[in-house]
Amino acid sequence: MTTEKYGPKAERWSRDAYADAATYFGRRGGLILSLGPSLQPGDALVDLACGDGALADYLPGIRYTGVDTSPEMVEVGRKRGRNMALGDLNDYEPPEPVAATTCFRAIYYAGDRAAFFRRVAGYTERKFVFDLNPRQYRLTDVRADLRDAGFDELALQPFFSPQHHSLPRPVLSALRALEQTGPIARAMLALRFSYLCAAFRGGKKM
Ligand SMILES: C[S@@+](CC[C@H](N)C(=O)[O-])C[C@H]1O[C@@H](n2cnc3c(N)ncnc32)[C@H](O)[C@@H]1O
């Protein structure tokens, strides 16, 4: 049961799960704003399976709502001043449509991935941003499910920010440069790291 798994970790989630949370979330937040159609201050965003909602602190000007099934995570996020809701990503719907929906390190909690994407597409106006481990899911399968949900465009960014290691700045810069290398980046993704993905509607005929 995930609630039992994550509840006890809530108080220290961002500190314990990330060796350098500020650098990691800073990069993630920047890409959420810029990858695919951009987000602007005042845009609303729902972050599904958000943990303690720490991502909110790295999305300046964005009207953030974090959603999680763990009451402890929701409580910790609220204590830290973040807008949080208790909910399951499989059936959660925000009261109003949002510009963007995000889901990080949690796509595997979708019971039926295609149905989950359709639900997200129903309330997401600009883009759906998530991370994807290509060793766990075939990109072609995920792309097909996104297309069926109405997201006919997918921007992919290799994301070589280590979660469990705090690296010196020159090494981080070298990893960032490797993200842009096409075939080398894809070879690295066969072994480690993930993609950050932005799915959106490109306006083409479906
Ligand atoms: C690996 S953590 C990721 C947290 C955060 N997104 C991050 O990147 O640090 C997974 C989170 O998903 C939550 N969770 C698990 N199943 C869920 C579901 N069905 N709906 C919403 N949240 C869920 C857990 O409580 C936990 O906070």
Side-chain angles (χ1 to χ4, degrees):
M1 183 71 188
T2 57
T3 304
E4 285 156 23
K5 178 178 168 188
Y6 288 105
K9 299 181 180 174
E11 189 63 43
R12 295 188 50 83
W13 174 253
S14 302
R15 268 168 287 173
D16 289 350
Y18 297 91
D20 180 352
T23 301
Y24 188 97
F25 280 108
R27 180 88 207 292
R28 186 193 273 177
L31 284 169
I32 290 169
L33 299 180
S34 64
L35 189 66
S38 63
L39 296 180
Q40 314 301 331
D43 281 337
L45 176 147
V46 158
D47 184 22
L48 299 171
C50 64
D52 61 6
L55 182 58
D57 303 352
Y58 300 86
L59 295 169
I62 297 297
R63 290 186 292 125
Y64 176 95
T65 303
V67 178
D68 203 280
T69 39
S70 157
E72 291 89 348
M73 287 287 195
V74 170
E75 193 188 319
V76 167
R78 282 185 182 147
K79 223 166 51 184
R80 296 185 185 149
R82 300 163 190 149
N83 183 37
M84 304 284 290
L86 189 64
D88 186 320
L89 59 80
N90 290 289
D91 54 25
Y92 175 82
E93 300 215 352
E96 301 285 337
V98 291
T101 298
T102 57
C103 184
F104 287 98
R105 300 181 50 217
I107 283 286
Y108 38 82
Y109 290 123
D112 174 340
R113 189 177 64 211
F116 169 61
F117 287 169
R118 281 196 299 275
R119 183 176 293 278
V120 169
Y123 59 77
T124 304
E125 292 176 336
R126 208 165 309 153
K127 62 179 170 178
F128 172 40
V129 186
F130 58 99
D131 55 354
L132 186 73
N133 173 351
R135 300 169 302 287
Q136 190 176 18
Y137 297 108
R138 277 167 28 130
L139 201 45
T140 45
D141 296 341
V142 173
R143 206 188 275 277
D145 286 348
L146 287 167
R147 203 173 285 128
D148 286 348
F151 293 120
D152 58 329
E153 297 280 348
L154 183 62
L156 288 175
Q157 169 68 50
F159 186 77
F160 295 170
S161 295
Q163 186 191 328
H164 299 295
H165 302 283
S166 179
L167 300 177
R169 198 165 286 277
V171 180
L172 285 176
S173 301
L175 282 171
R176 288 280 289 274
L178 282 170
E179 290 177 350
Q180 313 303 329
T181 54
I184 298 173
R186 283 195 289 282
M188 286 178 70
L189 282 158
L191 302 171
R192 269 210 70 158
F193 296 117
S194 56
Y195 282 110
L196 200 132
C197 309
F200 56 100
R201 301 170 186 87
K204 285 186 205 150
K205 271 203 166 141
M206 297 289 291

